[in-house]
């Protein structure tokens, strides 16, 4: 880029910065930009007490089903397994293919169990994982599967009060970040702390579930997925397998379905055949028909399916009950015309118009509107009471009116739903409270200002000052950008004692919280005995790579060969290195993963 163009961009940036400070730029609403993407962290209690609650590890199967129900591309998933400490964790992984989902499911299969349990450790780490890697345009969520009870290691010195404080702090952090925490309690041994899990969910605006049978977990995870996405589970049919193919109808209601998730829950895997509405047999799997199987469920995901009746043929083990459910994912959102004013008076009538939108465009599909009902939800912010007003379906929009009853402040939003999904608009706030005193004086002052001459000299001085600010901004922004360049991925670290041969559990260290540079000592939690690693530095490279520079006396090896990193070497995802310390007989092994 030419210097002149860079100067122009800096000047434009300065102008935009100045006018935004002055309040000249209009507010931009995200209401017209729907996002059905999820950023989720799945949290699993890995204590030995779960052996009694879930001997067949159905909890892992349920979590895998949740992963299979996520979008084929775009969603992010992280996993935290805990006892009274973090057993293993996986930073948020963006799903780009079926292989990514398989990677996550294999990670779940490899989780071990431990002796003690402390739910505050799992929730606290899940909030950190999510905040460090979530996309602001996605819907964040945490799902915790546990029994709600703590059994602390007496040797750790940690008290129940300290655990409660850590949990409370994590919940407050989640609330501030808008992260709902869904909880699932397993009560097979009758020792479930249901109240604690329910309170954890309610504090963050989520739902809590409990069951005495791990076999219910796939259904519960389906409900959580649907609830979070403002969808509804559509029961299709329950059949008793007879060893032959049995046919059921899957109805895709309209052309706005992005994905149709057909879940088949049973004691054993099933075989399926599929025919589209035109009568054409579909290959399973194929480009638009994805398939996944597990011990307790089978899932078919139809991508952008044709509207109409699909025929599903299911064959299971004789006498095995098979529950078939549907969850649709829609390319739809709901928007409402902006209100004429934020200030109203008691007795005023507010006219409401609301529309379904897809990709920012209003829909004219009367068939889609035909099966929907809508209502206006009005919350009195002074009393906390909510009132519902039925809206009229006009075929291509919903409309109605609301008469302001009192001198209060109100929040208004529209909810529209049919049997398979619902959507809500962004809330609008209006106030019927009297305006603050002093308005007249302000008006008079505003009128008097009209008689003053236009301040030309001040504008000239302002432009000159703006040019100076832009020039300084150019150099400052370049320096700040370099110093605050971020990282991606995570580092998997193990420490081996060369005297005993013992190796620590793998530690998964996310790099997204660092900016500009960091050293290996920071990843090792600044342990004093490992101080010599503070001169092994990492800086961000191009294409999601790391640049390693070694200014320490430690020896670094890659693939069994000594690596000269004094001038810096580039690391790509999957590179595994070992660092031999000089002051103590330990070797640090780390692997960079993106």
């Amino acid at each position: 880029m030419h210097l002149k163009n860079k100067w122009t961009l800096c000047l434009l940036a300065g102008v935009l910065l100045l006018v935004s400070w002055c309040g000249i730029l209009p507010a931009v609403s995200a209401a017209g930009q729907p996002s059905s993407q999820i950023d989720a962290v799945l949290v699993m209690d890995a204590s030995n007490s779960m052996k009694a609650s879930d001997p067949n590890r159905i909890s892992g199967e349920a979590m895998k089903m949740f992963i299979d129900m996520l979008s084929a591309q775009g969603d992010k998933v992280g996993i935290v397994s805990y006892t009274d400490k973090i057993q293993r964790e996986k930073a948020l992984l963006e799903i780009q293919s079926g292989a990514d989902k398989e990677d996550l499911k294999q990670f779940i299969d490899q989780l071990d169990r431990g002796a003690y349990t402390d739910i505050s450790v799992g929730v606290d780490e899940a909030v950190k994982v999510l905040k460090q890697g979530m996309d602001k345009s996605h819907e964040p969520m945490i799902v915790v599967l546990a029994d709600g009870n703590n059994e602390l290691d007496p040797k750790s010195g940690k008290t129940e009060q300290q655990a409660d404080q850590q949990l409370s702090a994590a919940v407050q952090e989640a609330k501030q970040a808008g992260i709902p925490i869904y909880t699932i309690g397993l009560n097979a041994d009758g020792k479930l702390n249901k109240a604690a899990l329910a309170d954890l969910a309610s504090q963050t605006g989520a739902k809590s579930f409990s069951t005495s049978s791990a076999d219910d977990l796939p259904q519960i995870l389906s409900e959580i997925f649907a609830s979070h996405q403002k969808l509804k589970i559509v029961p299709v049919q329950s059949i008793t397998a007879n060893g032959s193919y049995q046919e059921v109808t899957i109805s895709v209601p309209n052309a706005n379905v992005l994905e149709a998730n057909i879940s088949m829950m049973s004691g054993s895997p099933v075989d399926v055949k599929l025919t589209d509405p035109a009568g054409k047999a579909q290959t399973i799997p194929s480009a638009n028909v994805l398939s996944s199987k597990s011990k307790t469920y089978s899932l078919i995901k139809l991508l952008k399916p044709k509207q109409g009746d699909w025929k599903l043929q299911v064959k299971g083990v004789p006498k095995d009950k098979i529950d078939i459910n549907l969850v649709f994912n829609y390319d739809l959102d709901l928007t409402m015309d902006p209100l004429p004013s934020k200030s109203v008076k008691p007795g005023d009538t507010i006219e409401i118009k609301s529309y379904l939108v897809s990709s920012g465009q209003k829909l004219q599909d009367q068939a889609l509107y035909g099966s929907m009902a809508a209502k206006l939800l009005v919350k009195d912010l002074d009393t906390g009471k909510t009132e519902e007003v039925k809206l009229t379906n006009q075929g291509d929009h919903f409309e109605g009116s609301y008469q302001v009853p009192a001198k209060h402040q109100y929040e208004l939003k529209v909810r529209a739903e049919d049997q398979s999904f619902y959507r809500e608009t962004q809330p609008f706030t209006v106030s019927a409270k009297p305006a603050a005193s002093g308005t007249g004086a302000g008006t008079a002052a505003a009128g008097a200002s009209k008689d003053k001459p236009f301040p030309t000299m001040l504008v000239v001085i302002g432009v000159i000052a703006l040019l100076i600010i832009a020039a300084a901004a150019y150099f400052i922004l370049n320096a700040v950008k370099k110093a605050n360049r971020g990282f991606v991925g995570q580092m998997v670290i193990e420490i081996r004692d060369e005297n005993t041969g013992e190796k620590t559990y793998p530690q998964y260290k996310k790099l997204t919280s660092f900016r500009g540079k960091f050293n290996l000592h920071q990843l090792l939690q600044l342990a004093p005995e490992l101080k010599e690693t503070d001169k092994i530095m990492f800086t961000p490279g191009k294409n999601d790579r790391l640049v390693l520079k070694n200014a320490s006396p430690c020896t670094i090896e890659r693939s069994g060969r000594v690596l000269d990193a004094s001038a810096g070497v580039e690391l790509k995802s999957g590179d595994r290195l070992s660092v031999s310390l000089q002051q103590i007989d330990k070797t640090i092994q780390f692997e960079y993963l993106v």
Side-chain angles (χ1 to χ4, degrees), residues 47-59:
S47 63
N48 286 332
S49 64
M50 292 294 285
K51 289 181 179 179
S53 300
D54 184 17
N56 297 319
R57 292 182 178 262
I58 302 297
S59 56

Side-chain angles (χ1 to χ4, degrees), residues 275-288:
T275 305
D276 71 12
K280 183 179 178 180
Q282 300 295 298
T283 301
I284 304 174
S286 59
N288 295 317

Side-chain angles (χ1 to χ4, degrees), residues 124 127-128 131 167-179:
D124 183 53
V127 174
K128 288 186 173 70
K131 289 186 68 177
L167 180 60
S168 178
V171 170
Q172 289 303 314
E173 192 174 354
K175 288 173 64 177
Q176 292 171 4
I179 301 171

Side-chain angles (χ1 to χ4, degrees), residues 152-415:
L152 304 180
D153 182 356
K155 295 180 181 179
S156 70
K158 188 175 184 179
T159 65
E160 284 287 356
Q161 183 180 9
Q162 290 172 327
D164 290 343
Q165 290 173 346
Q166 183 179 5
L167 180 60
S168 178
V171 170
Q172 289 303 314
E173 192 174 354
K175 288 173 64 177
Q176 292 171 4
I179 301 171
I181 302 175
Y182 294 86
T183 60
I184 308 173
L186 271 175
N187 194 33
D189 57 0
K191 297 179 180 179
L192 174 68
N193 191 341
K194 185 176 181 179
L197 292 177
D199 182 59
L200 176 57
S202 66
Q203 286 188 66
T204 58
K207 293 182 178 180
S208 181
F209 300 82
S210 63
T211 176
S212 58
S213 172
D215 294 339
D216 294 334
L217 292 178
Q219 178 71 20
I220 291 173
L221 264 295
S222 297
E223 291 184 31
I224 290 176
F225 173 84
S227 174
H228 193 70
Q229 289 288 73
K230 298 182 175 64
L231 304 171
K232 298 179 180 180
I233 294 178
V234 182
V236 176
Q237 197 170 336
S238 290
I239 60 176
T240 300
N242 58 16
S244 301
Y245 282 102
Q246 297 167 266
E247 186 173 278
V248 297
T249 300
I250 305 295
S251 296
V252 176
N254 57 70
N256 292 98
V257 175
L258 284 178
E259 297 178 348
N261 292 289
I262 309 170
S263 64
M264 292 154 281
M265 300 175 202
S266 59
S268 305
V270 299
D271 294 324
V272 295
K273 296 179 181 179
L274 186 67
T275 305
D276 71 12
K280 183 179 178 180
Q282 300 295 298
T283 301
I284 304 174
S286 59
N288 295 317
V289 182
L290 308 182
S291 174
S292 54
K293 286 187 177 183
S294 184
K295 298 175 184 176
T296 59
Y297 72 89
S298 297
L299 187 82
I300 299 293
K301 183 185 288 286
L302 307 180
L303 305 182
K304 295 186 177 179
K306 294 179 182 178
Q307 180 178 352
D309 289 341
W310 294 63
K311 299 300 181 182
L312 179 72
Q313 292 181 302
V314 184
K315 182 172 73 172
V317 175
K319 298 184 180 181
D320 196 0
K321 183 183 178 184
I322 305 172
D323 291 321
I324 305 172
N325 293 309
L326 261 176
V327 176
F328 295 119
N329 193 8
Y330 284 93
D331 179 22
L332 288 174
D333 204 356
L334 188 68
T335 187
M336 181 168 65
D337 278 349
L339 303 182
S341 174
K342 290 186 176 181
S343 297
V344 293
K345 301 186 301 294
D348 284 355
T349 298
I350 301 174
E351 300 297 334
I352 302 296
K353 281 191 177 181
S354 183
Y355 311 84
L356 289 170
V357 296
S358 177
S359 301
Q361 301 296 317
K362 293 180 181 178
L363 292 179
Q364 306 295 323
D365 188 346
Q366 292 196 2
L368 178 58
Y369 276 95
S371 60
M372 299 193 71
K375 55 189 175 184
L376 176 68
L377 303 176
V378 183
K379 183 176 181 179
D380 187 324
L381 298 179
D382 291 355
T383 65
K385 295 181 179 179
T386 299
E387 181 181 356
E388 295 184 1
V389 178
K390 185 177 179 181
L391 300 181
T392 303
N393 186 335
Q394 297 292 3
D396 61 355
H397 69 279
F398 308 103
E399 67 176 42
S401 61
Y402 179 71
Q403 189 174 50
V404 180
K407 297 179 180 181
H408 293 176
Q409 192 172 20
Y410 301 91
E411 180 185 85
L412 290 76
K413 65 180 178 181
V414 175
R415 176 183 171 120

